Amino acid sequence: MVVAGSAQAVELSGNVAITNDYVWRGISQTNEDPAIQGGFDLEAEGFYAGIWGSNVNFGGVDESTEFDIYFGYGGDITDDLSFDVGFIRYEYPGISAVSFNEIYGSLSFMGATLGVALDNDNDATYINLGYDLSLPNDFGVGFHYGDYSFDGGGDYNDYSITLSKSAGGFDFSLAWIDTDLSGVAIADSRVVFAIAKSL
């Protein structure tokens, strides 16, 4: 949807998805249970803002909800090189003590993306490298590697391979996800299936 404004057009979009497990940076956020997710975005001339939500369950506490509120700016530097910078707030209304902020940025070049996120609340840095390859018949494959480091210890790496397919107005994905953490059940190797729809 495009909303005409006095200065410029503003594009409004939405999304909704279901998945058998909400995994973030290699770790299940739903105690390995399914999740329903969705959000809305506003975009104008490279500037954007949005909100996204999902159910979460960290075990040992009542099931709660995650809301991500974010804004940023992105664009093309050249035909093959683009950038994105922004701010995101991870909010957990039922367990607000774990809420935190990140400042993030990324560069993308011909399917490869290098990103970094800085979390001053937890003295943490997340660096990730990804590569997305388009395949025939609306298939795609994506490769991801992340390095999560904390000043207080507990560093780990996560990695994934995702096969995606668009059909009938829906986006399907099947991902294999793992980390190098040992003895943490919610960080073990797993297969995650998701169906998403843009609104």
Side-chain angles (χ1 to χ4, degrees), residues 3 5 7-12 41-49 72-74:
V3 180
Q8 59 193 17
V10 177
E11 182 176 347
L12 172 65
D41 294 280
L42 288 171
E43 191 274 332
E45 297 296 319
F47 292 96
Y48 62 86
Y73 179 76

Side-chain angles (χ1 to χ4, degrees), residues 107-129:
L107 287 173
S108 298
F109 180 73
M110 299 182 68
T113 299
L114 175 64
V116 60
L118 304 176
D119 170 10
N120 288 330
D121 295 321
N122 299 299
D123 296 321
T125 301
Y126 185 71
I127 299 173
N128 63 94
L129 178 64

Side-chain angles (χ1 to χ4, degrees), residues 130-196:
Y131 182 72
D132 294 316
L133 179 64
S134 296
L135 302 175
N137 300 316
D138 293 321
F139 279 94
V141 62
F143 304 90
H144 164 89
Y145 173 81
D147 180 90
Y148 213 167
S149 60
F150 304 83
D151 285 355
D155 303 354
Y156 73 92
N157 299 317
D158 71 286
Y159 25 87
S160 65
I161 301 173
T162 303
L163 179 66
S164 59
K165 165 70 176 177
S166 297
F170 292 87
D171 297 315
F172 302 87
S173 64
L174 184 66
W176 171 79
I177 303 171
D178 201 359
T179 74
D180 62 359
L181 289 169
S182 59
V184 182
I186 58 173
D188 286 345
S189 174
R190 70 196 60 236
V191 174
V192 175
F193 177 69
I195 304 174

